[in-house]
Amino acid sequence: KCNLLKMEDQATYRRNGNGHAKTADLSNYVFGKVQPQAIPLEGAVLGALMLERDALMMVADLLTPETFYLNPHQNIYRAIIRLFEAQSPIDLLTVTEQMRKDGTIETVDGGYYLVELSHQVASSANIEYHARILAQKHIQRQLIVAATETIRDAYEDATDAFALLEKTEVNLFKIGHRKAKSAQHVRDITTSVIMEAERAMQYAGECIGIPSGIRALDKETGGWRSPDLVIIAGRPAMGKTALALTIAKGSAKAGTGVAFFSLEMSKAQLVQRLVCMEGKVNGQMARNGKLTQDDFRRMCEAQPVVDEMPIYIEDTPAMSVIELRAAARRLKMKHNIGAVIVDYLQLMRGGEDQRGNREREIAQISGGLKALAKELEVPVIALAQLSRAVEVRGGSKRPQMSDLRESGAIENDADIILFPYRPEYYQITEDEEGNSLAGVAELIIGKNRHGRSGISVMCGFDEFYALFRDLDEKPSSQFPATAPQSGASVALPEGASMRGRNEEDIPF
């Protein structure tokens, strides 16, 4: 019968030729204590994962191979992850075959140990609770390692204390930010945004699918529909994030829940932009404390409007495809989201087996996003960077399909590809007929599986407020950017409140 003590590389005791206990393996001990572990729970989690494929979606953002204490368990989890990324069934037979391909089958006694694990559980009902315990044990082990290094180095006479302090802070920071971050409703963030804006003032100076918020675009695309993968690709400063927020705001106002995964900007930064867009306030003025009292009044009036938008933001950096899919599925189950926005694609991570080959990694990411759209039956809108070929090209510098950066797979996987283009950014102030292009933007439809391609949707872009709008909308008037006097009081409109928070609660 196979048991954990027979696994030589993870044995708690070393054995002599007769199989009797000989000496303790000190690698499992720190200061005479066994490192934090929960081996029975590790087996229960792995057994549940082989029992129900969908169970992985519940724990993917909590577990990594290193979360498991035993090396054989790490190998089993790696095999499960690879099967999931390949969209293959996950069961006893497929995991055994995958481990055979990986060359790790002997760490589980040729597969016999997998049989034992599959018999340990009857369902995956408690898998998330068990996974959280394993994550806690892993964090405890990481803290032990970091603390042990600090103690060892602190006893060295040649150690620079300030350098050691910085190293310790970095190690603790890394451990703290490896845990899963949950999505938050925007109402949990808007109060701190409003309070920060006030504090800065005192101290400074026709649509079938989901609407995009731009009627001209909806008329051409019919709105976003499941299971489309929409790519918004452009160079920096073309307004990709502004367009994504315009789409999120338009969809939310139509009653569609939106999951916004920001791999670049923080939750507070995004919500500040939403509030400023809704209140027609310059975001830079809000950050620099140069708002007028009228500006701040409009921000406060915009807060209850933004509070009611069903937008859920998660800003975990460098998410992998599997982590994003797990988080999106939870939001779908809990809040019935109708659209997913990812900002932006190149900041995501692919699977472990694709590391080192960026083109293949991007291909895996774009394929994973398309699979997510199909799985959740929602449109997925992903932002993407274009290559520098746009900048070195002469003429109007209009983007084209060949400018998609790092992988042609994006072009293959996408149902719709939009290129936001602002001629004014390249000092092109008039079109061929002599019409002014000030405040005018184009949304070039490079690809459309459901309609015309190679056409442009003309719209307006208010650079002052970083928002897209229809051309027939009246541009927002730009208010003077003079700062109020320090200490000036501002009356809050009805519906906007500070909710009793202290100044120390502001995460800025």
Side-chain angles (χ1 to χ4, degrees):
K1 180 181 178 181
C2 172
N3 58 64
L4 294 175
L5 291 178
K6 288 184 179 179
M7 300 179 188
E8 183 177 354
D9 56 332
Q10 290 293 331
T12 304
Y13 295 96
R14 292 178 181 163
R15 298 173 178 272
N16 58 23
N18 297 323
H20 298 296
K22 185 179 180 181
T23 57
D25 185 353
L26 297 181
S27 65
N28 282 335
Y29 291 80
V30 175
F31 298 130
K33 297 181 179 179
V34 179
Q35 292 190 6
Q37 54 184 282
I39 293 175
L41 290 184
E42 291 185 7
V45 168
L46 293 172
L49 292 176
M50 289 188 288
L51 185 66
E52 297 181 24
R53 182 181 187 275
D54 291 342
L56 183 60
M57 306 297 291
M58 303 171 62
V59 299
D61 59 344
L62 292 172
L63 302 178
T64 64
E66 292 72 25
T67 305
F68 295 87
Y69 183 69
L70 295 183
N71 184 57
H73 288 174
Q74 295 179 8
N75 293 333
I76 295 170
Y77 189 71
R78 287 191 182 96
I80 291 173
I81 291 295
R82 290 192 174 99
L83 288 170
F84 185 86
E85 291 172 346
Q87 300 182 30
S88 301
I90 299 174
D91 54 36
L92 174 61
L93 296 178
T94 57
V95 173
T96 301
E97 182 61 27
Q98 183 63 48
M99 293 190 71
R100 186 173 286 111
K101 291 179 181 178
D102 296 341
T104 57
I105 191 67
E106 293 306 318
T107 64
V108 290
D109 278 8
Y112 290 106
Y113 181 58
L114 294 176
V115 177
E116 286 193 1
L117 291 182
S118 66
H119 290 162
Q120 288 185 12
V121 293
S123 73
S124 61
N126 300 318
I127 188 172
E128 187 172 2
Y129 179 77
H130 294 162
R132 291 188 180 279
I133 295 177
L134 296 185
Q136 292 178 21
K137 299 296 183 183
H138 182 223
I139 291 174
Q140 288 177 270
R141 294 198 300 270
Q142 289 178 303
L143 289 172
I144 289 172
V145 172
T148 302
E149 284 187 15
T150 301
I151 294 172
R152 180 197 64 203
D153 294 343
Y155 274 107
E156 296 292 334
D157 292 335
T159 298
D160 186 319
F162 295 103
L164 177 59
L165 178 60
E166 182 179 0
K167 177 183 176 182
T168 303
E169 290 175 347
V170 169
N171 288 338
L172 293 176
F173 179 84
K174 289 180 179 178
I175 295 172
H177 283 71
R178 282 172 185 159
K179 60 184 180 180
K181 297 176 67 177
S182 60
Q184 289 180 258
H185 193 284
V186 292
R187 73 165 59 94
D188 299 327
I189 310 167
T190 49
T191 296
S192 61
V193 171
I194 296 296
M195 291 182 66
E196 173 59 17
E198 182 185 38
R199 190 174 75 161
M201 290 171 61
Q202 294 173 347
Y203 283 90
E206 191 169 301
C207 184
I208 301 173
I210 300 171
S212 67
I214 304 173
R215 294 193 307 275
L217 180 61
D218 294 337
K219 185 176 180 180
E220 192 60 46
T221 64
W224 313 125
R225 281 169 282 187
S226 167
D228 285 349
L229 173 60
V230 181
I231 299 294
I232 299 176
R235 290 293 296 157
M238 285 296 105
K240 296 188 298 298
T241 301
L243 181 57
L245 288 173
T246 299
I247 292 171
K249 189 161 69 79
S251 301
K253 284 189 172 183
T256 300
V258 179
F260 200 115
F261 293 90
S262 176
L263 284 76
E264 185 175 35
M265 300 178 66
S266 70
K267 297 173 184 177
Q269 289 173 324
L270 285 173
V271 174
Q272 183 189 57
R273 290 187 64 167
L274 272 174
V275 173
C276 290
M277 289 170 66
E278 183 65 27
K280 301 299 187 296
V281 174
N282 183 282
Q284 184 175 358
M285 300 299 182
R287 288 190 298 272
N288 296 340
K290 296 182 179 179
L291 294 179
T292 65
Q293 290 197 18
D294 191 50
D295 289 332
F296 184 67
R297 175 186 58 79
R298 292 200 308 280
M299 281 192 72
C300 293
E301 289 174 343
Q303 179 194 351
V305 177
V306 175
D307 279 352
E308 296 305 314
M309 294 180 184
I311 301 175
Y312 305 88
I313 300 173
E314 184 160 333
D315 61 356
T316 303
M319 292 186 76
S320 66
V321 178
I322 188 172
E323 291 170 342
L324 188 143
R325 289 176 66 178
R329 181 162 184 167
R330 288 197 305 271
L331 288 171
K332 177 69 173 179
M333 295 172 63
K334 186 175 182 179
H335 301 292
N336 194 30
I337 57 170
V340 173
I341 298 177
V342 181
D343 182 12
Y344 60 90
L345 187 148
Q346 281 92 350
L347 291 180
M348 294 183 65
R349 293 185 292 109
E352 291 184 0
D353 55 337
Q354 303 297 339
R355 300 290 171 82
N357 189 322
R358 187 58 177 165
E359 185 171 335
R360 291 176 59 185
E361 189 174 9
I362 292 296
Q364 186 180 68
I365 291 169
S366 64
L369 293 178
K370 179 59 181 177
L372 174 64
K374 291 181 177 181
E375 181 183 359
L376 299 188
E377 297 183 347
V378 299
V380 173
I381 302 161
L383 279 56
Q385 288 275 24
L386 292 180
S387 68
R388 291 187 177 89
V390 177
E391 308 298 334
V392 300
R393 191 163 54 234
S396 63
K397 302 186 185 297
R398 293 168 63 86
Q400 54 194 32
M401 298 291 283
S402 60
D403 296 326
L404 283 169
R405 186 175 174 183
E406 291 176 315
S407 177
I410 298 176
E411 180 179 347
N412 296 329
D413 293 326
D415 298 281
I416 298 174
I417 297 179
L418 291 178
F419 298 110
Y421 170 65
R422 298 196 293 118
E424 194 175 12
Y425 178 80
Y426 295 109
Q427 287 77 50
I428 302 174
T429 58
E430 294 182 349
D431 62 15
E432 296 177 354
E433 299 177 357
N435 299 316
S436 174
L437 293 175
V440 175
E442 293 182 44
L443 299 179
I444 303 170
I445 302 178
K447 177 184 179 180
N448 185 0
R449 279 201 173 114
H450 316 298
R452 298 185 296 169
S453 301
I455 63 172
S456 293
V457 174
M458 307 304 294
C459 61
F461 180 76
D462 288 347
E463 187 173 8
F464 195 74
Y465 304 122
L467 61 86
F468 286 82
R469 57 174 174 79
D470 284 288
L471 276 176
D472 58 1
E473 283 187 27
K474 184 178 179 181
S476 306
S477 58
Q478 297 182 9
F479 292 85
T482 55
Q485 294 182 356
S486 177
S489 61
V490 180
L492 296 179
E494 184 178 356
S497 68
M498 296 310 176
R499 295 195 178 104
R501 292 195 179 188
N502 296 322
E503 188 174 279
E504 288 78 4
D505 295 326
I506 304 173
F508 295 92

